[in-house]
Structure formats: structure tokens, C-alpha cells
């Protein structure tokens, strides 16, 4: 029935860049809502805490920041699977000896966050060679460590911590 009306539907999971585009708009909208409700003044920076497992929504916040939304720190909130927390805090993405935990927050129960690759691509000045090397290391060794400059850029925008399931609930 939809085909007869020239309508095509698709899904956009968190790997699809098409899903990030409207999420970027959420940050503009939230910012403008804060301004219009007089909670902040235009131009004042706002920090956001984003619970994430695949790094998509928080990556959208980073893109919003890059194109002019006055955002400050992007706080990556994680659960017991804390791979993103450890990565942001150390520069090492290591799942080699990490137990996967099923938690009450299943959208955060991810060990290989596909959008981290996209974020690193941006932070390295779109250095595809570095990204390929890191992703091959992750595939072969279940870990990789970024260089000091990339870690510094990551930590300039992102902070992270995690909580266990009991605290989360």
C-alpha cells in the first residue's frame, strides 16, 4: 500500500549517520529552550550528561557543538559495562578481558561502540589511516590505545563516569 503512494520507509539505528542528524537538532532545541525560559543567556555554555553505550547521541552533541551550539563539557554516563568511561579516561579501548554485563539499561550494554570510530575520525583530522590501524588492533587484539594528541582532544570535550545497576535504579 505504501509503495503505491511512493512512500519508502527505512530504519536508522545508532550506526546510521541519518539518525545523528535529528539528534543534533535536539541539542540546538534544548539550548534555545533554556534561553527562552531565561534559565541561561544566549551564548552561555551548557554542559550535557548523556547516558550512552554506542556513543551516538553524545556524538550528536559534539557535532552540535562543532557547528556553533554553545556547549561545554559533554559528560558520557555509562553503566557497569563502562568501556566508554575507561576509554575517555585513559585513551585505551580495551575489551580483551572485560566481562559483558546485562543490566537494566540495555541500550548501554555495548562493548564495541561503533560511533567511537566516527568520533576518532573527526578528532584525528579525518585521518583514515590511524582509524584503520586502531580498528584492526581492536579486531585482532580486542584493544587499542590512541595517541596523546587524540586523547587530549577527546578529553577537552568529554568527561565520563559510570555507575552500577543498583545505583542506576
Amino acid at each position: 500500500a505504501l509503495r503505491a503512494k511512493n512512500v519508502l520507509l527505512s530504519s536508522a539505528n545508532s550506526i546510521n549517520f541519518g539518525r545523528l542528524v535529528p539528534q543534533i537538532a535536539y541539542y540546538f532545541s534544548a539550548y534555545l529552550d533554556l534561553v527562552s525560559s531565561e534559565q541561561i543567556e544566549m551564548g552561555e555554555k551548557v554542559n550535557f550528561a548523556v547516558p550512552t553505550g554506542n556513543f551516538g547521541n553524545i556524538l550528536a552533541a559534539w557535532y552540535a557543538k562543532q557547528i556553533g551550539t554553545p556547549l561545554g563539557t559533554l559528560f558520557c554516563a555509562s553503566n557497569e559495562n563502562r568501556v566508554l568511561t575507561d576509554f575517555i579516561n585513559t585513551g585505551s579501548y580495551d575489551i580483551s578481558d572485560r566481562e559483558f554485563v546485562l543490566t537494566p539499561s540495555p541500550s548501554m550494554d555495548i562493548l564495541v561502540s561503533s560511533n567511537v570510530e566516527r568520533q576518532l575520525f573527526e578528532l584525528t583530522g579525518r585521518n583514515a589511516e590511524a582509524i584503520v590501524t586502531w580498528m584492526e588492533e581492536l579486531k585482532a587484539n580486542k584493544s587499542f590505545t590512541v595517541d596523546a594528541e587524540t586523547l587530549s582532544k577527546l578529553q577537552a570535550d568529554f568527561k565520563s563516569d559510570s555507575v552500577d545497576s543498583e545505583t542506576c535504579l
Side-chain angles (χ1 to χ4, degrees):
L2 291 176
R3 179 164 275 176
K5 296 180 182 184
N6 292 323
V7 174
L8 298 174
L9 299 176
S10 176
S11 66
N13 63 22
S14 58
I15 297 170
N16 187 319
F17 192 82
R19 181 166 171 179
L20 296 179
V21 174
Q23 289 176 317
I24 293 168
Y26 299 160
Y27 291 95
F28 281 113
S29 178
Y31 186 85
L32 292 175
D33 286 347
L34 290 169
V35 170
S36 68
S37 65
E38 298 181 352
Q39 295 181 55
I40 62 168
E41 293 183 23
M42 183 63 83
E44 185 178 343
K45 286 188 177 182
V46 174
N47 302 324
F48 276 94
V50 183
T52 187
N54 207 27
F55 211 73
N57 197 337
I58 200 164
L59 176 60
W62 184 85
Y63 278 121
K65 184 175 182 177
Q66 300 314 299
I67 56 179
T69 308
L71 302 183
T73 299
L74 303 175
F75 190 82
C76 176
S78 188
N79 64 10
E80 290 176 62
N81 288 298
R82 65 175 287 123
V83 67
L84 292 171
T85 296
D86 293 341
F87 175 62
I88 290 169
N89 291 330
T90 68
S92 291
Y93 199 104
D94 190 348
I95 58 170
S96 62
D97 193 27
R98 188 178 296 269
E99 180 183 345
F100 178 73
V101 181
L102 293 174
T103 73
S105 349
S107 64
M108 295 169 62
D109 293 344
I110 297 172
L111 292 183
V112 179
S113 302
S114 59
N115 284 296
V116 166
E117 181 177 354
R118 187 173 279 138
Q119 179 67 75
L120 291 174
F121 183 67
E122 298 293 352
L123 293 176
T124 60
R126 299 187 166 194
N127 181 343
E129 187 176 308
I131 305 310
V132 167
T133 299
W134 291 330
M135 294 304 108
E136 286 177 352
E137 287 178 20
L138 182 60
K139 187 175 182 180
N141 307 321
K142 298 190 186 266
S143 69
F144 69 90
T145 301
V146 298
D147 59 275
E149 182 181 353
T150 302
L151 178 59
S152 178
K153 288 178 181 179
L154 181 70
Q155 291 176 340
D157 285 316
F158 297 95
K159 305 290 180 241
S160 186
D161 207 346
S162 64
V163 297
D164 61 23
S165 292
E166 184 179 332
T167 304
C168 184
L169 290 172

